[in-house]
Amino acid sequence: MTARDQTLARRAFTTVAVVEAVTWTGLLVGMFLKYVTETTEAGVWLFGRLHGAAFLVYCVTTLVAARVLRWSWLVTLLALAASVPPLTTLLFEVVARRRGLLGAPRPRTEDAQPVPAQVGR
């Protein structure tokens, strides 16, 4: 796999994880409106369909990313399981990024070492 493939897999996984979480949020709001306030079923109708599609795309994207980024079967299983509880895809994405599973982790500002200036010879 090329670096371009890895970059594309990383970006696709991150984007789809966010979309899946947003549609989960919409579905939760829709369920609140339908079952608690009993005002409308439109949110469940719309976000149920959107979330179903986002869930399927997340599963496929996870499997592709796992192959391209060479995740272990355990990491792949955890990524797939993250799609079940609400908003957990975001949590998995953050943890995966920090552990370097989506590429090199970004150094925090307090961890970054300043580059020493070169003195003229």
Side-chain angles (χ1 to χ4, degrees):
M1 300 292 159
T2 66
R4 184 172 183 266
D5 293 337
Q6 291 178 343
T7 300
L8 184 59
R10 242 187 314 272
R11 287 181 181 170
F13 179 79
T14 300
T15 301
V16 173
V18 170
V19 168
E20 198 273 346
V22 168
T23 60
W24 238 131
T25 303
L27 183 57
L28 291 172
V29 170
M31 288 190 300
F32 178 82
L33 293 174
K34 180 178 180 178
Y35 297 112
V36 177
T37 65
E38 298 179 356
T39 55
T40 182
E41 295 182 14
V44 172
W45 182 88
L46 175 63
F47 283 101
R49 286 158 175 72
L50 292 175
H51 180 66
F55 171 81
L56 293 175
V57 172
Y58 176 82
C59 290
V60 170
T61 305
T62 298
L63 294 174
V64 171
R67 174 122 172 114
V68 171
L69 299 172
R70 296 186 175 115
W71 290 347
S72 70
W73 65 271
L74 181 59
V75 171
T76 304
L77 187 63
L78 287 173
L80 290 170
S83 65
V84 178
L87 309 177
T88 311
T89 56
L90 289 178
L91 177 64
F92 179 85
E93 192 274 334
V94 168
V95 170
R97 184 170 302 280
R98 286 185 183 165
R99 293 188 178 222
L101 297 171
L102 297 175
R106 295 180 182 161
R108 296 185 308 209
T109 55
E110 62 268 9
D111 292 343
Q113 298 289 327
V115 178
Q118 292 184 345
V119 179
R121 294 182 183 184

